Amino acid sequence: MESISSQQRSTAPNYFNQRTNEMSVELVYIVQAGDTLSAIAASIRACAGVTEQSVKDKNPDINENDLQVGQLILIPHSSGDGALAYTICAGDTLWAICNHINQCEGVTVADIVAENPAVKPDLLSIHDRLNIPAAMATAEPSWTLTSTADVMGFWDWTYSSAAAPQNATLSIAFSGYTDVQTVLNNAANTKGSMVGTHFICFGGGNNAGAFDIGVLDNITDAIKAGQLQDYQGVAFDIETGAAELADGFKGAFAAAKAAGLQVLVTVSHSAPFGISDASTLMMSLLADANIDYISPQLYTDGTEDKNNYDIANGFSWENYKGCKAAVVPSIVKAAYHPSAQEYFAKEGVTLSGYIQWQQTDESS
């Protein structure tokens, strides 16, 4: 999304996942010399609120893009006094480590013992692997989207604890990134609680969400390799990136359809704001039979009190009349759907529904 909220919050850890009240393993800790369960639990609790930047500051020599399995890093305590010695495991990223540690903030010795029945608390051995459970908060009350349509979608922010609306026909795990592993890691936060058809989203309105041919090749390879098999659809938030990507996107969409995935494309207002040949790309998108849904964003910062129908890069809404995909605009609130229907009808475009950006119901 182009909004400030997506650009700034998409890199923020989800400190507490309030989608479920079950215990779940969030962190694997490898025992160090001199460790005790009470010391481990206390040190993890002391790290509450840790961020990627604070870890980088504590470990100035690490390369966040090249973490090595078995590498030891220090996770600073929030007080600034002391640190947790953490051993890198396969698949770790700094974001995931911080996210997991924060979700384990309330862990106790009893929690660790219960999660590791084979471990003898008084006989810990160096290199023992301990599963550290996250004590989840109580789930938020369920809520529903208020405007009825064939398609009632929900942008499910991976960095938010909000519950998904129970009547959504599709939900999209949105993180704001294009890097495949980062997107998968972030999407894991919402995977167990998504509603309707489950989409995983690549892209966003900042540099981390920009597209180029290398990014598209990586996404296409991930699709072909079955890395998105936990989802029924793949979404592309196309807002900024390189020019001359029409063929690259076509290839990614075709690969998704061949893998049995639905395809959704969203753009900033009527066209990508940060792609120089946006009009050429849009004409390709509107004519692509492999796209199931196209969702123009009718907002900029995601807090508007009405739809914003501004055109982007000179690309007129009238062009949407020839769209092969179902047009389902992204709107701040479901309550703005009737206005969108009326506006697009005047442009000769029939809407099939909408996707809500706001993370709570309209009464909150």
Side-chain angles (χ1 to χ4, degrees):
M1 298 294 153
E2 185 185 351
S3 68
I4 293 173
S5 58
S6 66
Q7 290 189 35
Q8 294 181 343
R9 297 181 191 171
S10 64
T11 56
N14 176 16
Y15 292 161
F16 299 102
N17 187 336
Q18 297 178 347
R19 300 166 185 273
T20 172
N21 57 9
E22 297 178 353
M23 299 288 284
S24 67
V25 174
E26 292 293 341
L27 184 73
V28 174
Y29 177 81
I30 297 177
V31 174
Q32 308 293 317
D35 271 345
T36 64
L37 288 189
S38 60
I40 293 168
S43 190
I44 290 172
R45 292 196 299 270
C47 292
V50 69
T51 65
E52 291 174 80
Q53 189 58 53
S54 63
V55 175
K56 293 176 191 176
D57 292 344
K58 191 71 173 178
N59 302 269
D61 295 329
I62 65 170
N63 180 349
E64 63 178 307
N65 297 314
D66 189 29
L67 298 179
Q68 302 296 312
V69 173
Q71 182 179 7
L72 193 68
I73 64 173
L74 298 177
I75 310 298
H77 292 170
S78 57
S79 65
D81 183 18
L84 172 74
Y86 178 81
T87 305
I88 300 297
C89 297
D92 269 346
T93 65
L94 290 189
W95 182 92
I97 293 167
C98 293
N99 185 35
H100 293 166
I101 286 175
N102 281 306
Q103 291 193 39
C104 297
E105 179 196 17
V107 72
T108 66
V109 171
D111 294 333
I112 298 175
V113 170
E115 198 66 51
N116 300 271
V119 172
K120 299 184 183 303
D122 298 326
L123 293 173
L124 294 182
S125 298
I126 296 175
H127 304 312
D128 276 352
R129 296 170 66 89
L130 299 177
N131 293 326
I132 310 298
M136 300 298 190
T138 302
E140 293 183 350
S142 62
W143 59 284
T144 58
L145 297 169
T146 58
S147 184
T148 301
D150 290 339
V151 177
M152 299 185 296
F154 178 66
W155 286 103
D156 204 340
W157 304 351
T158 62
Y159 44 90
S160 167
S161 62
Q166 295 305 298
N167 62 337
T169 61
L170 65 85
S171 50
I172 308 161
F174 172 79
S175 62
Y177 294 97
T178 52
D179 176 73
V180 171
Q181 193 57 56
T182 303
V183 169
L184 289 169
N185 288 344
N186 278 258
N189 288 331
T190 63
K191 190 165 60 175
S193 61
M194 297 175 74
V195 176
T197 303
H198 299 180
F199 283 78
I200 185 170
C201 184
F202 295 89
N206 56 13
N207 289 338
F211 287 94
D212 58 33
I213 194 61
V215 163
L216 284 172
D217 286 346
N218 289 339
I219 295 171
T220 302
D221 289 345
I223 292 170
K224 292 179 178 179
Q227 289 183 259
L228 310 187
Q229 62 184 355
D230 289 339
Y231 300 88
Q232 292 85 53
V234 56
F236 295 80
D237 183 2
I238 308 172
E239 304 193 46
T240 185
E244 300 182 356
L245 292 180
D247 288 343
F249 278 114
K250 283 182 181 179
F253 303 154
K257 298 305 288 186
L261 296 170
Q262 295 185 33
V263 175
L264 183 149
V265 170
T266 185
V267 295
S268 39
H269 298 291
S270 62
F273 74 92
I275 294 180
S276 60
D277 62 345
S279 292
T280 299
L281 176 59
M282 282 305 303
M283 294 307 293
S284 176
L285 297 176
L286 295 174
D288 197 323
N290 284 322
I291 301 175
D292 296 283
Y293 305 103
I294 283 189
S295 184
Q297 299 159 23
L298 304 185
Y299 50 80
T300 300
D301 66 15
T303 63
E304 288 85 347
D305 59 5
K306 61 183 178 180
N307 293 327
N308 182 333
Y309 300 105
D310 289 348
I311 63 172
N313 266 322
F315 192 77
S316 170
W317 292 115
E318 186 178 2
N319 291 311
Y320 278 71
K321 287 192 293 187
C323 183
K324 289 187 178 295
V327 180
V328 289
S330 288
I331 54 182
V332 176
K333 298 180 180 181
Y336 303 168
H337 175 228
S339 169
Q341 288 179 300
E342 181 179 355
Y343 180 88
F344 278 93
K346 293 177 181 178
E347 297 289 337
V349 180
T350 300
L351 301 185
S352 297
Y354 62 91
I355 307 174
Q356 178 168 305
W357 174 250
Q358 181 175 274
Q359 296 296 286
T360 56
D361 66 25
E362 293 158 31
S363 63
S364 59

